Amino acid sequence: MGKPKVCFVLGGPGAGKGTACEFLVKKHGLAHLSAGDLLREERKRAGSQFGELIEECIVQGTIVPVEITCQLLENAMNKIMVDSKGEQDKFLIDGFPRNVDNLQGWTKQMDGKTDDRIVLYLNCPLEVCESRIMERSKTSGRSDDNIEALRKRFKTYEESTKGIIEHYRDLGKVREVDSSLTKEEVGETVSRIVEQDLTDVQQPSVSGDH
Ligand code: C5P
Ligand code: MG
């Protein structure tokens, strides 16, 4: 059993990270861990000592300290591996790492534990992201799906997350996708990427050894 293979999924708010991940879960059976969803769950968990801090960050569009987020991710990952008896070894980690603190915390806590393969970068003009989020705000019930919080989230994305994407680009790990297209089109593209980069291809045997 190898180390769990990780595909980070990054892009601005409304770029379609959750939608692309849903597509990949259905088509390829990958496990999907959304950092934002895990934080929202922790926020509402009775007895959580981090609830208020998480809510404050979410409405301000800032990033929660990595010790909290990374622990939630590691716990969720371990649970999936235990429940699947080690069968599930491919993870989409959505919305992480979003800033330098996230990146350093992950490197420190997860060093040697995972095989971080690629970053799926969903690139979408912010005007398109904005109209998607404003549409979603009609039904999402999210405390940060409103124009004030959204502007703050865009700022964090521009100032903090883009640098992380560039860091991974320098390592040759970024797979960039135009996510302003329809969800089916984006789904097909991300699906090809995942097939190529998250699957271990058996090396064909050389010479006549049958
Ligand atoms: O990814 P999503 O849009 O669900 O994230 C919502 C919010 O959760 C972010 O704006 C941020 O406040 C928080 N978050 C975080 N650290 C992450 C992911 C999300 O603090 N790595
Ligand atoms: Mg999401």
Side-chain angles (χ1 to χ4, degrees), residues 9-28 30 32-34 37 40 92-95 120 122 124 128-129 132-133 136 142 177-191 194:
V9 183
L10 293 176
K17 302 183 292 291
T19 308
C21 288
E22 227 175 86
F23 189 97
L24 292 171
V25 167
K26 280 200 193 116
K27 181 148 180 187
H28 298 283
L30 309 183
H32 173 209
L33 301 178
S34 157
D37 287 350
R40 284 182 285 274
L92 298 164
I93 300 191
D94 156 6
L120 199 55
L122 303 183
C124 185
V128 177
C129 291
R132 287 178 180 171
I133 297 271
R136 183 175 80 180
R142 277 177 55 162
V177 173
D178 175 1
S179 66
S180 65
L181 304 173
T182 65
K183 58 180 166 188
E184 291 74 21
E185 287 169 312
V186 175
E188 289 311 322
T189 308
V190 297
S191 173
V194 157

Side-chain angles (χ1 to χ4, degrees), residues 5-146:
K5 301 174 204 26
V6 169
C7 168
F8 295 114
V9 183
L10 293 176
K17 302 183 292 291
T19 308
C21 288
E22 227 175 86
F23 189 97
L24 292 171
V25 167
K26 280 200 193 116
K27 181 148 180 187
H28 298 283
L30 309 183
H32 173 209
L33 301 178
S34 157
D37 287 350
L38 289 168
L39 288 166
R40 284 182 285 274
E41 245 170 64
E42 176 64 20
R43 175 186 60 183
K44 70 171 189 217
R45 187 174 63 82
S48 168
Q49 48 176 321
F50 305 121
E52 277 177 34
L53 171 63
I54 293 172
E55 177 61 7
E56 178 67 14
C57 289
I58 286 180
V59 295
Q60 293 303 325
T62 55
I63 306 300
V64 173
V66 67
E67 290 72 19
I68 299 173
T69 315
C70 193
Q71 197 58 57
L72 294 172
L73 286 169
E74 188 177 12
N75 293 348
M77 193 176 235
N78 287 341
K79 180 172 188 319
I80 290 172
M81 290 199 293
V82 168
D83 289 351
S84 73
K85 302 197 167 55
E87 288 287 306
Q88 179 59 276
D89 67 346
K90 296 190 184 100
F91 290 85
L92 298 164
I93 300 191
D94 156 6
F96 185 94
R98 253 178 157 102
N99 66 0
V100 172
D101 178 57
N102 273 191
L103 178 62
Q104 288 177 343
W106 175 265
T107 308
K108 187 164 149 222
Q109 184 163 342
M110 302 302 283
D111 186 38
K113 298 182 191 169
T114 55
D115 174 3
D116 301 344
R117 291 265 172 111
I118 54 168
V119 173
L120 199 55
Y121 168 32
L122 303 183
N123 192 1
C124 185
L126 292 188
E127 311 83 76
V128 177
C129 291
E130 183 173 312
S131 69
R132 287 178 180 171
I133 297 271
M134 293 322 287
E135 186 58 33
R136 183 175 80 180
S137 72
K138 294 175 186 164
T139 53
S140 73
R142 277 177 55 162
S143 57
D144 58 347
D145 279 353
N146 57 71

